[in-house]
Amino acid sequence: READEWKRWSNVPRFEALCGRAEALLQTVETPSADLKQGAADLKGLQAEWKALGGAPRERSETLWNRFRHTCDLVHGALRGAAGGRQEEREQNLKRKEELCARVEAVQDSTDFDETALLIKNLQEEWKAIGPVPKTESDAIWKRFRATIQLRTIRQQNIHLQSHTVIAVVGDNQTQVGQLFQVVGLTNL
């Protein structure tokens, strides 16, 4: 019995160290750039260590436990709040990327290739600058954006090929070439 009591007293510094580590973890997860997965794993590890230590003397047990539990609750709340904030940010990013998709789709049939190419390049840069979207939407929105650009490129290549065919058939008569291009709606090759 006396040995058990000594063991409990020897655990006090360990419990205090765990409380200190939990408090340090709280400061870490409250930073905007905190790794939430790592924070959650660290919290779980601290809780497992607490359970593995055994007991503390009655005089200190409740105080230590309340300090640790309160800090863990705050860490958990901070993790949940940060995850919610990041999810909200990802939803906003999704809306912005949907707008970029709509802008690319709007110029898909443009025959002003130079201007459209520049616009698409700028939209791709904007895309890169926008942060991540919700994981469930990530592949779909990327495929939509990329597919529209790829279709646009294929269409442009086909039109260039057709224009070279027209020029080969009509010859050097610039007037006839220009008239044919206007008939099919081509303005800038």
Side-chain angles (χ1 to χ4, degrees):
R1 178 171 163 102
E2 194 172 312
D4 287 341
E5 192 64 29
W6 277 108
K7 183 175 181 182
R8 289 176 188 208
W9 275 105
S10 71
N11 285 340
V12 169
R14 293 181 190 131
F15 282 121
E16 288 174 343
L18 284 174
C19 289
R21 287 173 48 203
E23 290 160 353
L25 178 60
L26 176 60
Q27 290 179 348
T28 300
V29 299
E30 287 179 333
T31 61
S33 62
D35 181 347
L36 301 184
K37 285 185 180 181
Q38 185 61 50
D42 290 348
L43 177 62
K44 193 173 185 177
L46 288 173
Q47 291 169 332
E49 284 184 55
W50 184 277
K51 286 182 183 180
L53 272 179
R58 286 186 185 168
E59 299 86 14
R60 301 287 310 271
S61 179
E62 188 175 339
T63 305
L64 288 168
W65 170 245
N66 286 339
R67 177 182 168 198
F68 183 75
R69 189 186 68 199
H70 176 72
T71 305
C72 288
D73 289 346
L74 292 174
V75 170
H76 185 69
L79 289 170
R80 221 179 354 193
R86 289 185 183 174
Q87 182 62 25
E88 190 175 303
E89 180 182 333
R90 288 177 179 195
E91 291 293 336
Q92 291 299 320
N93 291 344
L94 176 62
K95 288 178 184 176
R96 291 174 59 198
K97 286 186 176 186
E98 286 172 341
E99 290 170 5
L100 292 181
C101 287
R103 289 172 60 191
V104 169
E105 291 163 353
V107 297
Q108 183 175 351
D109 295 327
S110 171
T111 56
D112 189 347
F113 297 127
D114 293 336
E115 183 179 318
T116 304
L118 182 61
L119 175 65
I120 288 174
K121 182 179 178 185
N122 291 337
L123 293 176
Q124 288 173 320
E125 291 300 319
E126 280 185 57
W127 183 278
K128 290 177 188 176
I130 297 172
V133 301
K135 289 184 184 205
T136 57
E137 303 289 334
S138 182
D139 284 343
I141 194 71
W142 169 247
K143 286 177 182 175
R144 177 182 170 195
F145 184 72
R146 193 72 201 128
T148 304
I149 292 172
Q150 288 173 337
L151 286 173
R152 167 82 185 136
T153 302
I154 291 168
R155 181 175 180 274
Q156 182 175 345
Q157 290 169 347
N158 286 339
I159 289 174
H160 274 292
L161 191 62
Q162 291 170 358
S163 68
H164 289 294
T165 303
V166 167
I167 291 171
V169 171
V170 174
D172 289 336
N173 188 336
Q174 293 294 324
T175 306
Q176 284 184 321
V177 171
Q179 289 171 346
L180 281 173
F181 285 173
Q182 284 180 340
V183 167
V184 295
L186 300 177
T187 59
N188 187 8
L189 293 176

